Amino acid sequence: MQLIKETLTPVTRSQRGSSLIEVLVTMVILMFGLLGVAGLLVNGISNTASSESMTKANQLLADMADRMRANPAVAVSAGSEYGHNFGTAIPAATSTTIALKDLRQWLTAVQGQLPQGDGNITVDNTKRKVLIEIRWTKCMGTLSQADQTACNDSPSTAFQSVTMDLRI
C-alpha cells in the first residue's frame, strides 16, 4: 500500500476570511431578492382580489340587464319598479311584482358577493334607456400604505364602480 502525500498550498494572511465575506455578500443579495419576491406576491394577491370583484360586478350587471330584458314593459315604464338609488333599502321579501322580486334578488346578490356592494338603476322611459351601476369598497384586503391612506382620507376614492348602459 502506497501512501499518497497531498501537498497543500500554504494560506497567506491576506486570504483568510475571504470566503466568509463572499458568503455574507451573497446572503445580502439573496435577501434583497427574496424581499422583492415577497412584495410581488402581496401585490399579486391584491390584484387578484380586485379582479375577482370586477368580474363579479360585471356578472351582476349582466344578470340585471337580462332580468330587465325579460320584462321590458315594466323596465322602461314611467315610474319603473326597477329604479333604485345607492343606499336605499332593499324591497321587502313580500314584494308581489316580478320587478321588485328581481330587484330584491339582485341587490341581495350584490351585497352578498361584493364588499359593501350596492346598486343603482336609473330608468329613462322616454329614451327607453337604463343605466345600471354597481359600486363596492376597494379598501379591504392587502393594500399598499398609500392606498390605505387614500381610502381613509377620502371616502369617495374608497369605492370602485362599474356601469352599464342598456337600451330596451
Side-chain angles (χ1 to χ4, degrees):
M1 208 150 95
Q2 184 178 1
L3 292 175
I4 300 176
K5 199 173 193 184
E6 292 184 22
T7 58
L8 298 175
T9 57
V11 176
T12 62
R13 180 172 221 131
S14 65
Q15 291 179 338
R16 281 192 195 153
S18 64
S19 62
L20 182 60
I21 292 172
E22 291 170 356
V23 169
L24 288 175
V25 168
T26 303
M27 287 179 61
V28 167
I29 292 171
L30 184 63
M31 179 189 65
F32 282 115
L34 291 176
L35 284 174
V37 169
L40 288 174
L41 287 175
V42 169
N43 197 14
I45 290 169
S46 177
N47 288 339
T48 300
S50 177
S51 295
E52 180 183 3
S53 295
M54 184 68 77
T55 300
K56 286 180 181 179
N58 282 317
Q59 289 173 342
L60 290 165
L61 283 174
D63 176 45
M64 182 47 98
D66 289 343
R67 290 172 189 258
M68 294 179 84
R69 282 188 199 110
N71 195 2
V74 176
V76 292
S77 64
S80 175
E81 293 179 329
Y82 283 104
H84 186 269
N85 294 320
F86 288 128
T88 326
I90 295 176
T94 57
S95 302
T96 56
T97 66
I98 292 173
L100 289 177
K101 287 180 182 179
D102 284 346
L103 187 59
R104 176 176 176 70
Q105 291 171 356
W106 181 71
L107 287 169
T108 302
V110 168
Q111 290 179 353
Q113 294 183 32
L114 297 170
Q116 297 178 13
D118 199 2
N120 182 43
I121 300 174
T122 307
V123 178
D124 182 353
N125 62 338
T126 59
K127 296 180 181 177
R128 298 184 60 88
K129 182 180 174 185
V130 177
L131 176 71
I132 307 170
E133 184 177 7
I134 296 177
R135 72 175 183 189
W136 67 95
T137 185
K138 61 181 180 180
C139 294
M140 301 186 79
T142 55
L143 292 175
S144 68
Q145 189 64 34
D147 288 342
Q148 287 178 345
T149 303
C151 286
N152 294 335
D153 292 347
S154 176
S156 63
T157 62
F159 286 95
Q160 187 168 0
S161 66
V162 173
T163 59
M164 175 187 279
D165 283 325
L166 178 67
R167 294 205 187 268
I168 298 179

